[in-house]
Amino acid sequence: MNALSRYFPIFEWGRTYDRTVLSNDIMAAVIVTIMLIPQSLAYALLAGLPPVVGLYASILPLVLYAIFGTSRTLAVGPVAVVSLMTASAAGAVADQGTAQYLEAAVTLAALSGVMLAILGLLRAGFLANLLSHPVISGFITASGILIATSQIKHILGVQAGGDNWPDMLGSLANVVTDTNPWTLVVGVPATLFLFWVRSGAKPALMAMGLPKRATEMTTKAGPVAAVAVTILAVLAFDLDERGVNLVGAIPQGLPPFAVPSTDLSLIEKLWVPALLISIIGFVESVSVAQTLAAKRRQRIAPDQELIGLGAANIASAFSGGYPVTGGFARSAVNFDAGAQTPAAGAYTAAGIALATLFLTPLLFSLPIATLAATIIVAVLSLVDLKTPGRLWRYSKADFTAHIATISITLLAGVELGVIAGVAVGLLLYLWRASRPHAAIVGRVPETEHFRNVDRHKVFTVPHVLSIRIDESLTYLNARWLEEYVLERVAERPKLRHVILMCSAVNEIDASGLESLEAINHRLADGAIGLHLSEVKGPVTDRLKRTHFLDQLNGRVFLSQDRAFAELARDDGLDTAPIDDLARGMI
């Protein structure tokens, strides 16, 4: 059973499932279903797909995640950023509205699912660490701006396009005079209403005396209210005859069985976008899942999450959907609504399935402007304008990665944006790793502690130089350390001993060993001893497998205090207690 639970977490939480958990899950499922129906339609529109595809992507994926996923509250389905990336990838191989475009979206889901599942089986969840928080934050902010801008055309009722921000803005500027006033009358109030529902409705309803639970359910149903009111407006004022674009006929029934393309030329064009979608989707999903799990002192297994998301995407592909992942807003609602297990997602899937069977005819007169308003309000909450300032104050390197990701995503598109963000992040990491922190240290009086001479009142002796190395020694920084040590030695003509304090050194690779050997030889030529202190056991074990310790012209000390105490007594100082020496030098 434990082995099964590892790959099928349903066996773990299913053992304790009872009526109380069932009622909580069903209540959460009802609330999420109400929220998910308009969201699914809107995100499919964002992906350039028929609205019903969003509903298809919200049924089987939720069921498969409930079986294989480890998060108790993550709500899987279409999300804004992945929808935008799907539109970018599918639009590169086919025109929107064609069968080839839908086939490309389905194939993207299949490729993403297979990649995620394979990474999960290989326990490669650590690959998500390639995307630092500044890069992810920058990418999501830029994507939110792109998505919101792309939906303005539906609010105005005009035809516009563009794959990046300048093209979108330029296209909108050229057609803004063609704005349909009736579409504007629908889109702008819907947008303002949804903004109010998100930020101002809850305090207003609670001030009116509505219970907290009822208030939360009412505000979550805000998008449904916008959908219902605008449909009624279309029917009452014949807005379709006044140029207001409608969703139109939505196929009624359960998702069809779909088969992803096996065309190698298409797969060759889509595998890189599919990989990027997989990584971005996984990082977003795991971040949300870990945040919510921590609130209940639960755990998730990132490697199993890869398998769960992989299964969800494969299910989406074979049911006519497109790539899915865990969404923050939906998962937060699921959490707040009291979901206890992934079964809540399966119940949500049942609710969406019922909607495809019975509710789709009611959506015929739904204005596309209403769906655009839903998207705009949802994605603008992703735009974080405070992070750049915080990063600038804390880390200029992370600020650079953040701004580069935002800029390139806005100017060149989502795929190049995330690739550039990863590249900039890695380059900055390599640059920092190639210039590790090292400090000349001295002894704090009447203690055994050694601190940076530039930060603390410490004492040293002219013939002993103590250098604390604060990084592992690898090929990235070995040459830098060699130059640093030799430069410090050249500044001290009376020097007789150099101590490398290695308390922070967790590894010494072959390049690091070569640099230590070079330092040892250069110091030996100048009649200067090289000593090591506080070398960790695993590092010592590796050094013992080489000739370095035999050739070392100094000693290896257990502690920095012992090394300094013994070497400082050289040159006639052996009769003076070290602390007396300290008091005389400060």
Side-chain angles (χ1 to χ4, degrees), residues 256-275:
F257 178 75
V259 179
S261 175
T262 56
D263 183 354
L264 293 180
S265 62
L266 179 62
I267 292 174
E268 184 179 356
K269 295 175 182 176
L270 293 179
W271 78 267
V272 172
L275 179 62

Side-chain angles (χ1 to χ4, degrees), residues 465 467 480-492 518-520 522-523:
L465 173 64
I467 298 176
W480 180 91
L481 176 67
E482 188 176 337
E483 294 175 1
Y484 178 85
V485 172
L486 295 178
E487 287 176 1
R488 302 291 84 77
V489 170
E491 298 168 353
R492 293 164 171 78
I519 293 171
N520 184 52
R522 292 285 297 274
L523 294 182

Side-chain angles (χ1 to χ4, degrees), residues 178-226:
D178 299 329
T179 298
N180 184 316
W182 295 100
T183 303
L184 200 64
V185 166
V186 172
V188 171
T191 305
L192 295 176
F193 170 74
L194 291 174
F195 270 120
W196 176 78
V197 166
R198 180 176 287 268
S199 58
K202 187 173 180 179
L205 292 174
M206 293 188 70
M208 294 169 58
L210 200 65
K212 182 178 180 181
R213 188 65 176 262
T215 298
E216 291 176 349
M217 292 187 65
T218 302
T219 54
K220 298 302 183 287
V224 176

Side-chain angles (χ1 to χ4, degrees), residues 303-452:
D303 293 332
Q304 183 61 31
E305 282 296 292
L306 282 167
I307 296 175
L309 292 174
N313 276 279
I314 292 172
S316 182
F318 282 95
S319 58
Y322 70 103
V324 298
T325 192
F328 177 77
R330 205 159 47 241
S331 299
V333 169
N334 197 39
F335 179 91
D336 292 338
Q340 299 295 312
T341 72
Y347 303 146
T348 300
I352 301 296
L354 291 174
T356 63
L357 286 171
F358 302 111
L359 297 183
T360 52
L362 302 177
L363 299 173
F364 180 93
S365 299
L366 174 62
I368 290 178
T370 304
L371 296 181
T374 302
I375 294 173
I376 290 172
V377 173
V379 300
L380 286 183
S381 66
L382 303 176
V383 177
D384 184 358
L385 300 180
K386 296 180 180 179
T387 293
R390 289 197 298 263
L391 290 177
W392 174 258
R393 292 188 295 270
Y394 183 74
S395 170
K396 301 299 189 293
D398 286 335
F399 171 83
T400 301
H402 182 76
I403 294 300
T405 304
I406 292 176
S407 302
I408 296 174
T409 301
L410 290 176
L411 298 176
V414 291
E415 291 181 10
L416 285 177
V418 69
I419 291 173
V422 173
V424 171
L426 287 176
L427 287 174
L428 289 172
Y429 169 77
L430 294 175
W431 181 80
R432 287 194 298 259
S434 67
R435 301 178 61 83
H437 183 266
I440 297 174
V441 296
R443 187 179 174 196
V444 178
E446 300 183 6
T447 74
E448 297 180 357
H449 300 295
F450 286 76
R451 294 293 184 266
N452 192 330

